[in-house]
Amino acid sequence: MLRKTRPTSPGRPPGAPTALRQRLAELRGPGVTPRPLDARALAALAANPGCRRRALLDGAGIDKGALARALGSPAAFGQSQFAFARGNAFEARVKADGGAELVRLLHRELGEGPPPEPGSVDAPDLTATGPEGRTARTALALREASAAGRWAVLDHPMLALAVAGAPAHLEPDAVVVHPDGSWTVVEIKSFALIDGAADAAKAGAAARQAAVYLLALEALAERLPEPPPGGRVRHRALLVCPKDFSNLPTAALLDLRKQRATTRRQLDRLTRVEEIATALPAGAGFDPARPAAELTAAVEAVDAAYAPECLASCELAFHCRARAREAGDVRHLGRAVRSELGGLTTVDEVLAASRGAAETDDPAVTALRRAAALRAEALGAPCR
């Protein structure tokens, strides 16, 4: 039997993926294992699509934490070991019965069809070697479970999603297959649902992560025939958390349609990794073992789009903030301030505009001069 070959994309030579992998390995350094790109990083990357620096570093699998330490600007955030252990213990409790509790919680929230009977939930074996092997095994398990007409829970499946021209392997907490062949993403978190409601910021972050998994599932579903009438991937994820102040699991549904659309749009806007890598100077690399001067030159060769929000999601944010302050870039003051200043991009330009006296029709300059006058009046000093 002849196997059909997939045509190569226009303008992309057949060896391009291999050449890209080799180039990214050179950027990481000899013997450096690539850092996997997870859904949390993708959600943060999609929130700042204009940052070419993060797109390249994450796409190449570079450990930004180690890079920041080598540059002398270590990140001062991270999940505590206690919170990490508590989250793992809660997830193990939720999944202790082979996924039956997850299916029970999902059925209770959806209220569709008869409740699952004991022993009616399958738990496919997803064991395989390497990310590619696990991704292929997950695709096969989803295909088989969708055709079986039974409930199934895939524990930590492996999904693939193309991001900025490079593949990202993602591992959701679980995916539930319904008897009708549709799929639901499951997010298990250790923060509590108090009176059935979660903290808005934490629930929003969980929804953004789940939206990344949803996009990866949709990419996989496109390769499977005969989707259910309502579609293969459901746009509502199941959020499982401790109930009130106990360790008992409870759940809520998250509508992912808005997050999915936003994340898809932002990921599509990301500059392709190979384009950024090609523009780097010869010999540039991000191996933390390199001298600090060489690392600084390589990092500065890639444009960044720093914003204060980066401090909570990017290990390199303190380095980028220091550089933005040195350059007087107004973006370090926040996106809201940057948008109000129009064509004024540096602090020096802003100060000069506020002290000017010439006529102008620029609303940003007019507002700055008015603010300077009010400040001088409040301080009891003449405006000059």
Side-chain angles (χ1 to χ4, degrees):
M1 179 182 297
L2 295 177
R3 177 176 296 177
K4 295 181 179 180
T5 58
R6 180 177 297 178
T8 57
S9 301
R12 179 186 290 270
T18 301
L20 175 61
R21 285 195 293 269
Q22 291 175 348
R23 177 58 176 148
L24 297 183
E26 293 172 359
L27 293 177
R28 287 192 301 271
V32 178
T33 304
R35 187 180 182 89
L37 190 61
D38 59 15
R40 181 175 298 180
L42 274 181
L45 186 60
N48 191 7
C51 187
R52 295 165 61 90
R53 183 177 296 171
R54 177 157 193 168
L56 175 62
L57 296 178
D58 282 347
I62 293 168
D63 186 345
K64 297 194 299 298
L67 181 60
R69 290 190 293 272
L71 291 171
S73 302
F77 66 88
Q79 188 178 28
S80 70
Q81 291 300 314
F82 173 77
F84 189 74
R86 183 173 181 270
N88 285 342
F90 178 71
E91 181 176 340
R93 175 169 184 169
V94 171
K95 297 177 178 179
D97 53 0
E101 176 68 8
L102 282 178
V103 172
R104 184 190 67 80
L105 291 170
L106 179 58
H107 179 270
R108 186 192 70 186
E109 294 300 317
L110 292 174
E112 298 177 357
E117 299 178 357
S120 63
V121 179
D122 297 331
D125 182 12
L126 304 179
T127 304
T129 303
E132 291 80 7
R134 291 184 59 198
T135 300
R137 183 68 189 90
T138 295
L140 178 61
L142 281 171
R143 185 182 300 111
E144 294 174 344
S146 300
R150 291 167 51 87
W151 289 99
V153 174
L154 278 65
D155 185 6
H156 284 287
M158 183 67 73
L159 307 172
L161 181 66
V163 179
H169 291 94
L170 312 172
E171 189 176 359
D173 292 328
V175 172
V176 174
V177 180
H178 298 248
D180 65 357
S182 59
W183 308 337
T184 292
V185 176
V186 177
E187 274 287 280
I188 302 175
K189 298 296 185 183
S190 59
F191 60 82
L193 289 179
I194 307 297
D195 293 332
D199 177 85
K202 295 179 179 178
R208 288 190 292 273
Q209 284 183 238
V212 175
Y213 299 135
L214 186 146
L215 289 172
L217 282 173
E218 288 181 338
L220 173 57
E222 291 177 357
R223 302 194 294 270
L224 300 183
E226 301 178 5
R232 181 72 69 186
V233 187
R234 300 195 176 206
H235 288 172
R236 289 196 294 177
L238 184 71
L239 174 64
V240 181
C241 299
K243 181 179 181 180
D244 297 327
F245 301 100
S246 70
N247 202 33
L248 299 175
T250 188
L253 292 173
L254 297 175
D255 190 333
L256 303 181
R257 286 175 294 183
K258 180 179 179 180
Q259 286 83 0
R260 177 205 172 278
T262 301
T263 303
R264 176 75 280 169
R265 182 171 63 254
Q266 300 291 54
L267 290 179
D268 288 342
R269 290 174 54 194
L270 287 173
T271 305
R272 300 185 68 83
V273 170
E274 56 263 43
E275 295 176 5
I276 307 175
T278 302
L280 284 174
F286 303 97
D287 185 351
R290 286 189 170 211
E294 293 183 11
L295 286 177
T296 301
V299 169
E300 295 305 313
V302 187
D303 292 336
Y306 171 78
E309 294 83 356
C310 297
L311 294 173
S313 60
C314 182
E315 296 89 338
L316 211 59
F318 291 92
H319 173 85
C320 297
R321 181 179 66 175
R323 290 296 185 268
R325 286 176 171 175
E326 290 175 6
D329 191 335
V330 296
R331 287 180 295 186
H332 82 272
L333 301 174
R335 290 193 177 99
V337 174
R338 173 67 187 89
S339 63
E340 293 290 340
L341 292 176
L344 304 175
T345 59
T346 68
V347 174
D348 288 341
E349 290 178 355
V350 171
L351 294 177
S354 68
R355 294 166 181 159
E359 293 293 331
T360 179
D361 57 357
D362 188 332
V365 175
T366 302
L368 284 170
R369 292 177 180 175
R370 177 59 178 161
L374 291 173
R375 178 179 183 276
E377 181 180 344
L379 296 177
C383 180
R384 46 176 187 169

